[in-house]
Amino acid sequence: MTHLESYAATRPSDFELARRIIAAAHQHDGASPVSDQALLAAAQGERSLLLFRGDANADPVAVGVVGQGEVDLVVLPQARGNGVGTAALAELLHRVDAEALAWAHGENPAAEALLRRAGFTPVRSLYRMALDPALLPQPSSDAVALDLPDGFELRPFDPERPDDAGRWVRANAAAFATHPEQGRVTESDFALMRAEEWFDPEDLLLLIDGTGEAAGSTWIKTLRDPEVETELYAVGVRPEFAGQGLGGLLLDATLARMAQHRPQRVSLYVDGDNDRAVRMYERAGFTIDSRSRQWRTASPASPGATMDP
């Protein structure tokens, strides 16, 4: 087996090295190899971020995130095919003691082969869906100027309103109560997410009900390197407001806001078994661009992981 040395990220420069490796893999593969939630947990010390290298004087060639029952692994594209992924995954699995879940993002036969060899089996699917930007509304469309039911207000998140963070977190937790990642976002997580370079408060819209709480929200992640891509990051409605057409209304607001960025790419991610959401996005013109799968092993490891060989 390939020999690797690993060390835990403790300094900002370690995390910056990790982000560069993740960005290189993203650019090469066309899909992000690590979730935002995994990186947030590592930044907060809730998971360990490890950097792997061939020897003490070499540059890192892989990044692993482990903890809270999850394992993520990313290998630099130029370092693949030499046993780096196998060696790094073996070390990561030694650090967990139950079963483990792992994502293979996009169409990635090498990652899936790595997981099969380690005893994983597929348990969940995730679709990346894309929309032709030409199908967006005119850029002059006002994202919040929609016909709303009586008693509702649609407005952007306001960083100057101290209660807005709590409003969003409560609504998001209710809307995604059964979602294994999104439903666990805390106010501390949300604060770190707002510190990301891509965050724009105008891209996070809150649907406020008559009590002043958020009945739902829609959040766009806008990336600008090398081209503008708008991703529907999260859209959800509290269960007590289901069946009132608010999800479709929020999607209309999402598309109008996306159009204002004049993107070259438009995307979103949705669970493959969420037929209702998939159909709603298809009616809006989205098509399935790629499929990812989550894998589980019952060998010494814990729930949640991403693999990129």
Side-chain angles (χ1 to χ4, degrees), residues 87-103:
L89 177 57
E91 179 168 343
L92 290 170
L93 291 179
H94 279 304
R95 294 173 177 263
V96 287
D97 56 10
E99 64 178 14
L101 294 172
W103 283 103

Side-chain angles (χ1 to χ4, degrees), residues 213-239:
E213 282 293 296
S217 67
T218 182
W219 189 353
I220 300 163
K221 179 177 181 178
T222 303
L223 304 175
R224 302 183 182 279
D225 185 21
E227 297 179 314
V228 178
E229 177 173 2
T230 53
E231 175 191 323
L232 175 49
Y233 192 59
V235 59
V237 175
R238 285 178 178 267

Side-chain angles (χ1 to χ4, degrees), residues 31-289:
S32 179
V34 178
S35 70
D36 289 335
Q37 285 81 9
L39 292 177
L40 283 171
Q44 292 179 305
E46 296 170 353
R47 304 184 196 181
S48 298
L49 189 149
L50 303 178
L51 292 159
F52 295 89
R53 57 193 176 188
D55 59 62
N57 298 315
D59 292 330
V61 293
V63 174
V65 181
V66 60
Q68 296 180 317
E70 301 196 7
V71 178
D72 294 82
L73 174 61
V74 187
V75 180
L76 271 175
Q78 59 267 37
R80 298 174 186 176
N82 298 309
V84 171
T86 299
L89 177 57
E91 179 168 343
L92 290 170
L93 291 179
H94 279 304
R95 294 173 177 263
V96 287
D97 56 10
E99 64 178 14
L101 294 172
W103 283 103
H105 286 287
E107 311 297 332
N108 199 330
E112 297 200 347
L114 174 66
L115 292 169
R116 285 191 189 280
R117 290 196 300 271
F120 287 78
T121 55
V123 293
R124 180 182 167 199
S125 65
L126 184 73
Y127 294 164
R128 173 186 164 96
M129 301 186 74
L131 178 73
D132 182 346
L135 297 178
L136 290 172
Q138 290 300 311
S140 58
S141 300
D142 188 342
V144 298
L146 300 175
D147 290 331
L148 301 175
D150 290 342
F152 289 92
E153 174 194 6
L154 184 64
R155 63 169 175 82
F157 173 84
D158 186 349
E160 300 303 316
R161 295 195 188 195
D163 294 336
D164 261 10
R167 285 189 182 96
W168 180 81
V169 168
R170 289 189 294 273
N172 185 72
F176 293 97
T178 61
H179 195 279
E181 294 97 21
Q182 188 65 30
R184 297 187 298 184
V185 176
T186 65
E187 286 203 42
S188 295
D189 296 332
F190 185 40
L192 286 175
M193 294 160 84
R194 299 198 308 276
E196 291 285 345
E197 251 181 52
W198 53 262
F199 177 72
D200 180 348
E202 296 290 322
D203 279 347
L204 174 52
L205 303 179
L206 303 178
L207 182 63
I208 306 298
D209 67 14
T211 71
E213 282 293 296
S217 67
T218 182
W219 189 353
I220 300 163
K221 179 177 181 178
T222 303
L223 304 175
R224 302 183 182 279
D225 185 21
E227 297 179 314
V228 178
E229 177 173 2
T230 53
E231 175 191 323
L232 175 49
Y233 192 59
V235 59
V237 175
R238 285 178 178 267
E240 60 265 36
F241 293 100
Q244 299 182 32
L246 299 182
L249 185 150
L250 286 170
L251 181 57
D252 289 342
T254 302
L255 299 178
R257 177 58 185 165
M258 285 177 163
Q260 293 173 353
H261 290 290
R262 301 178 185 272
Q264 282 76 50
R265 295 186 301 277
V266 178
S267 63
L268 61 83
Y269 291 88
V270 61
D271 274 288
D273 61 359
N274 190 344
D275 294 334
R276 183 176 178 180
V278 171
R279 288 196 300 270
M280 180 177 74
Y281 297 137
E282 287 177 335
R283 287 194 297 271
F286 283 87
T287 57
I288 296 172
D289 183 56

